[in-house]
Amino acid sequence: MGRLEQWARLGLVAWAMVITMARAIRFPNDFAEAHWLLDYRFGLIKRGFAGSLLSLASNTGLVVQSEAAVAMVAFTVFAAFVLLLLWTASRLVASAADPGVTFAAAAVFATSPFVVMAAHFMGYLDHLFLSAAFAAAWLARSGRLWPAATMAAAGVLVHESFVLVGLPLVLLGAAMRRGPRPRSGPSGLLPLALPVLAALALWVSETFLLDRAVLRGQLEARLSAFPFVGGDMNLFVPEWLTTGAMAAWREQRHAFWRHLSDPNLLRLMVPSAVVLVLAAAAAAPAGARLRRALAAGAATLAPLLMHALAWDTARIWTYTIVVAFGGVWLCAGTDQSPPAAGRRWLRAAAVPVVIANILASSPLMDGQAERFTASTRLLLYLPFLAGAALAIADSWRLPRS
């Protein structure tokens, strides 16, 4: 595939992603704003890293901690995250793997509920820790385990969800790393202990070093000093942050299987995640497909364990899609040998998934609903659909497998 065709396909993916984001993009809500105002002034707390950076910038006079500043930072981080996703898609469509499968995977992701809700969760720390996850996975795949582990440890400090969302992707990248392998045994695994140590440090701090009741009052006073943090988030966010893992598990464990079996979320999320996991396997040489499918599938399922501790069900389900997309990217860019011939059935299976993604509506927060009627969506996606149809038809000439 020529460079011009690669750029054309990336342009189609970018168009689809922009329209998908436009369906739900908004300004940061009170929950997101509150998190950017938390820092380490009261000790080592969960989700305090990003706010500490903003506080440092404020103390040096670069910004003022205001609603406008939080929105500016949020949109900047989101823009960087989108550029990272587009770079990932560019590496995917330019890989030596089957171009029909890689383009189909990029198209499924660009229209997926994850992209819809990523724009809706403007200002959430997800954009930051997922960026760290992709960067760390890329470093790990390149064989640079110490920089990868350092980035992963920072991801844990940004948001503790990194342990189940980002770390599996980093481990997947490490398993596929190129170049000389480190020594086996404890010394070879030492770098990957850094994010685990970061998570352990947070647990030790909140369990043994900090008084939860005192900390809750301090955080409430801190957030109450900013009038733009409404919706009682000056009270709710400190309560959630000072609730320990065991307490959260006792509160949420009864709903674990109900969250896993939610029919609406299964219909929305599973098709995209399954196609992406299968694409990760198809991008590998024939002898490695089963192994890659199992590894990518395990990483994709790992975030669902968060249902035992957290209540934001739809948001957790979207993580399966972005992790699966990361798995395709890692698998497609790893092997120098030509992969086995592409599978027409997988390219065909992606078509109804893309159409369903375009027409479906994701469960947004704060009583909001997606923009655009079905007819308007089809009109907006028309350039992408026309180009995608040509790309899929062109890839159909590849031999069967």
Side-chain angles (χ1 to χ4, degrees):
M1 183 169 58
R3 186 169 296 275
L4 181 60
E5 186 176 359
Q6 291 176 10
W7 278 104
R9 293 190 175 198
L10 180 60
L12 292 172
V13 172
W15 180 276
M17 195 174 293
V18 168
I19 301 303
T20 305
M21 291 186 296
R23 289 159 54 178
I25 195 168
R26 62 169 179 170
F27 278 85
N29 63 5
D30 296 311
F31 179 86
E33 291 172 340
H35 279 75
W36 282 99
L37 300 171
L38 302 174
D39 52 36
Y40 292 143
R41 69 184 62 205
F42 305 120
L44 183 62
I45 63 171
K46 293 184 294 188
R47 311 178 199 180
F49 187 72
S52 294
L53 296 180
L54 184 60
S55 291
L56 181 62
S58 176
N59 292 336
T60 56
L62 295 177
V63 297
V64 176
Q65 289 179 308
S66 63
E67 187 173 18
V70 170
M72 179 190 69
V73 171
F75 278 100
T76 301
V77 170
F78 180 68
F81 179 55
V82 171
L83 289 176
L84 176 62
L85 293 177
L86 287 175
W87 175 83
T88 304
S90 72
R91 304 310 303 162
L92 191 58
V93 299
S95 71
D98 171 26
V101 169
T102 55
F103 176 73
V108 166
F109 177 75
T111 58
S112 70
F114 171 80
V115 176
V116 174
M117 299 186 75
H120 182 65
F121 291 132
M122 183 63 63
Y124 281 51
L125 300 179
D126 298 29
H127 305 147
L128 204 54
F129 84 74
L130 286 172
S131 296
F134 273 71
W138 175 73
L139 289 168
R141 193 187 67 179
S142 302
R144 290 174 279 183
L145 291 187
W146 278 109
T150 302
M151 181 66 70
V156 172
L157 296 179
V158 169
H159 201 293
E160 68 278 8
S161 295
F162 187 96
V163 174
L164 289 175
V165 182
L167 190 55
L169 200 60
V170 178
L171 294 175
L172 187 62
M176 299 178 185
R177 61 192 180 277
R178 297 172 294 210
R181 297 296 180 93
R183 292 177 295 171
S184 59
S187 61
L189 299 176
L190 185 60
L192 297 181
L194 277 182
V196 177
L197 290 175
L200 183 61
L202 289 175
W203 176 78
V204 169
S205 178
E206 72 172 12
T207 304
F208 300 107
L209 303 181
L210 298 174
D211 184 305
R212 295 184 192 275
V214 172
L215 176 62
R216 183 176 301 182
Q218 291 172 327
L219 296 179
E220 289 176 358
R222 165 72 176 164
L223 294 179
S224 298
F226 298 92
F228 60 86
V229 179
D232 288 333
M233 288 302 158
N234 61 317
L235 303 178
F236 291 141
V237 171
E239 179 183 350
W240 293 326
L241 286 180
T242 54
T243 299
M246 291 303 298
W249 178 70
R250 287 192 294 268
E251 291 177 5
Q252 298 297 327
R253 61 183 176 180
H254 70 281
F256 179 75
W257 294 110
R258 175 165 55 84
H259 291 164
L260 278 182
S261 59
D262 186 303
N264 186 49
L265 294 176
L266 289 172
R267 175 183 60 82
L268 280 171
M269 312 295 179
V270 170
S272 296
V274 169
V275 167
L276 291 171
V277 169
L278 293 175
R289 284 186 172 183
L290 178 59
R291 185 169 66 252
R292 293 285 172 80
L294 293 175
T300 298
L301 292 174
L304 296 180
L305 294 175
M306 292 169 57
H307 287 309
L309 300 171
W311 51 266
D312 43 352
T313 312
R315 180 183 173 198
I316 293 171
W317 266 105
T318 63
Y319 294 146
T320 62
I321 297 175
V322 69
V323 172
F325 177 65
V328 183
W329 160 61
L330 291 171
C331 292
T334 299
D335 302 287
Q336 300 300 317
S337 58
R343 295 193 170 184
R344 290 182 175 179
W345 66 266
L346 182 54
R347 297 195 291 271
V351 174
V353 174
V354 168
I355 298 301
N357 284 346
I358 289 174
L359 296 178
S361 293
S362 300
L364 305 183
M365 299 181 66
D366 304 324
Q368 297 192 7
E370 286 193 34
R371 302 182 184 92
F372 313 135
T373 63
S375 57
T376 301
R377 288 189 195 181
L378 291 174
L379 182 62
L380 292 171
Y381 281 105
L382 187 58
F384 161 75
L385 292 172
L390 291 176
I392 294 296
D394 181 64
S395 69
W396 208 259
R397 298 176 306 190
L398 291 175
R400 293 179 183 272
S401 61

